């Protein structure tokens, strides 16, 4: 068997089911064996960090992963505060257990799942993705979870379901930020169904091999690496399948500044600042922003024939 380094694993393999299965078995066995040897145990419940990772994909090849500490202490979570460095502390007592995700709207069976049930829908992967905030900074983060499509398939959406809406928990007692009217609460986001089904779209419950910290959206969020960070909604409690384009918090707040699509696009500036370059957290200077944040090959076809200036 040919053993590839993580850096050799290409994006194509996100969709390659046969490779996925063999790699999954392979990684499971090797991590167990080497970990077992190192620890001197015959039984290792979790092979890596707190999560059992069965597949690794690097979608930011050649780039340094952002320091874990930085990724976990510089956060946008407006329900708590607009100060990125204060989110973590303000969320210390945010209750995330028990937690249910409710699926409603245009589905065969409206369902409720606990987080533990959701985690068993597919093998937990690690995917290194760039995350580009609309404010002009970015990080490279190893996320843990699996394709959002795995959850969608479980819900059997009707053929009339053309969009999917996500809703963040609203907990007034624990969320001091919702006293401000900077956004409409709860925080809501949405995707077109084909965007949500794209293999890059990820349902995330961990990062750096461990459970998602509160400040990064515990217990479950989505990560959409080709879109500006505000689309990657945190701490989700409800998913609604609809036949109409759903409203989104940032679009309601400032429709001229934040569109529904929010695909990373260096050629379309935000009305108040350029989007051509970005500041990678932990690096000096700025780097060029890439169309679709570098994931054009995987997602550009979703927007064929669309005027990306109009549908920003
Ligand atoms: N519910 C909710 N989700 C949210 C936000 C928020 O304020 N509330 N901020 C978004 C923005 S602007 C960004 S850049 C990312 C930041 O994710 P991170 O803190 O894990 O890096 O989360 C997004 N998801
Ligand atoms: Mo952001």
């Amino acid at each position: 068997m040919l053993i590839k380094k993580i850096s050799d694993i290409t994006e194509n393999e996100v969709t390659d089911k046969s490779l996925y299965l063999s790699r999954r078995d392979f990684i499971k066995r090797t991590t167990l064996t080497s970990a077992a040897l190192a620890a001197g145990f015959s039984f290792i419940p979790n092979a890596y960090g707190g999560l059992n990772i069965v597949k690794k994909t690097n979608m930011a090849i050649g780039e340094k992963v952002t320091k874990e500490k930085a990724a976990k202490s510089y956060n946008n979570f407006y329900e708590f505060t607009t100060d990125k460095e204060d989110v973590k502390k303000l969320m210390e007592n945010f209750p995330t257990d028990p937690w249910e995700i409710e699926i409603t709207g245009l589905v065969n069976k409206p369902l409720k799942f606990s987080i533990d049930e959701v985690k068993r829908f597919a093998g937990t992967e690690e995917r290194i993705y760039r995350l580009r905030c609309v404010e002009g900074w970015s990080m490279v983060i190893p996320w843990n979870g699996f394709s959002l499509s795995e959850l969608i398939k479980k819900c059997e959406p009707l053929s009339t379901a053309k969009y999917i809406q996500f809703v963040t928990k609203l907990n007034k007692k624990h969320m001091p930020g919702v006293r401000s009217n900077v956004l409409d609460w709860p925080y809501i986001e949405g995707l077109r169904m084909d965007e949500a089904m794209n293999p890059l779209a990820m349902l995330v419950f961990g990062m750096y091999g461990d459970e998602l910290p509160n400040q990064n959206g515990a217990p479950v969020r989505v990560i959409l690496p080709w879109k500006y960070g505000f689309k990657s909604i945190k701490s989700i409690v409800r998913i609604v399948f609809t036949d109409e384009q759903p409203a989104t918090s940032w679009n309601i707040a400032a429709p001229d500044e934040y569109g529904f699509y929010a695909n990373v696009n260096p050629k379309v500036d935000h009305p108040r600042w350029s989007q051509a370059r970005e500041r990678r957290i932990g690096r000096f200077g700025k780097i060029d922003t890439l169309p679709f944040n570098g994931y054009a090959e995987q997602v550009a076809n979703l927007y064929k024939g669309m005027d990306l200036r109009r549908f920003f």
Side-chain angles (χ1 to χ4, degrees):
M1 187 187 203
L2 207 111
I3 302 168
K4 285 199 246 177
K5 288 188 304 239
I6 290 172
S7 57
D8 295 326
I9 300 174
T10 66
E11 48 273 28
N12 298 336
E13 292 174 27
V14 173
T15 46
D16 191 329
K17 197 71 182 173
S18 60
L19 250 175
Y20 168 76
L21 289 172
S22 58
R23 177 174 314 283
R24 175 184 165 155
D25 290 337
F26 170 71
I27 290 174
K28 219 183 213 163
R29 258 179 280 135
T30 44
T31 30
L32 274 176
T33 317
S34 48
L37 282 174
F41 295 129
S42 55
F43 175 68
I44 306 289
N46 291 303
Y48 172 45
L51 296 166
N52 187 17
I53 312 292
V54 298
K55 184 196 177 198
K56 295 189 177 191
T57 313
N58 189 347
M59 298 289 288
I61 290 172
E63 298 183 60
K64 265 207 187 113
V65 167
T66 301
K67 286 212 170 70
E68 183 171 349
K69 206 176 159 196
K72 294 182 173 179
S73 55
Y74 187 83
N75 306 99
N76 266 341
F77 208 151
Y78 274 34
E79 289 89 328
F80 295 87
T81 171
T82 54
D83 185 326
K84 289 177 234 310
E85 279 153 54
D86 285 350
V87 177
K88 182 179 173 184
K89 198 162 159 257
L90 279 172
M91 291 192 75
E92 267 167 8
N93 300 313
F94 181 62
T96 59
D97 182 25
W99 190 285
E100 279 186 326
I101 291 200
E102 186 194 4
I103 320 255
T104 64
L106 301 172
V107 282
N108 250 333
K109 291 180 209 133
L111 291 166
K112 261 189 186 176
F113 297 112
S114 74
I115 293 306
D116 286 339
E117 281 171 310
V118 169
K119 283 181 183 168
R120 287 196 290 269
F121 288 171
T124 304
E125 300 177 30
E126 171 183 282
R127 294 194 200 160
I128 302 177
Y129 281 159
R130 288 179 284 270
L131 178 79
R132 167 63 156 82
C133 179
V134 73
E135 297 165 332
W137 50 270
S138 61
M139 301 194 194
V140 176
I141 296 178
W143 299 107
N144 304 122
F146 43 71
S147 285
L148 176 61
S149 63
E150 302 282 354
L151 174 105
I152 294 175
K153 280 185 268 165
K154 293 277 173 200
C155 307
E156 299 178 27
L158 304 177
S159 61
T160 48
K162 299 285 186 252
Y163 294 88
I164 173 168
Q165 181 179 52
F166 304 94
V167 183
T168 293
K169 178 145 191 144
L170 179 56
N171 179 337
K172 290 188 178 153
K173 191 175 150 219
H174 283 91
M175 293 174 158
V178 304
R179 279 181 238 138
S180 128
N181 58 7
V182 55
L183 290 177
D184 264 2
W185 317 107
Y187 194 102
I188 49 176
E189 257 307 334
L191 292 172
R192 222 169 51 192
M193 192 61 101
D194 59 343
E195 298 181 297
M197 290 299 289
N198 186 281
L200 270 192
M202 197 176 179
L203 189 81
V204 165
F205 41 80
M207 65 194 296
Y208 296 86
D210 280 315
E211 304 284 330
L212 213 51
N214 289 347
Q215 63 272 22
N216 293 92
V220 68
R221 71 180 300 181
V222 292
I223 289 291
L224 310 158
W226 72 99
K227 294 180 177 284
Y228 291 116
F230 67 88
K231 297 290 293 181
S232 292
I233 182 172
K234 296 174 168 180
S235 305
I236 298 166
V237 284
R238 194 158 69 252
I239 293 180
V240 190
F241 290 85
T242 65
D243 54 0
E244 270 177 36
Q245 185 177 301
T248 65
S249 289
W250 281 100
N251 184 249
I252 294 169
D256 298 338
E257 300 187 9
Y258 309 104
F260 174 78
Y261 286 95
N263 293 318
V264 174
N265 191 341
K267 292 209 183 96
V268 176
D269 290 337
H270 183 280
R272 290 183 280 135
W273 61 80
S274 164
Q275 292 292 18
R277 294 169 68 74
E278 67 198 60
R279 182 170 58 89
R280 184 62 57 76
I281 300 297
R283 274 173 65 167
F284 290 107
K286 286 194 174 185
I287 53 175
D288 287 342
T289 289
L290 300 169
F292 299 104
N293 204 22
Y295 303 111
E297 205 182 307
Q298 289 79 20
V299 298
N301 63 317
L302 292 169
Y303 311 102
K304 230 192 250 153
M306 280 174 67
D307 177 354
L308 297 179
R309 281 185 180 278
R310 190 169 158 229
F311 299 100
F312 61 97

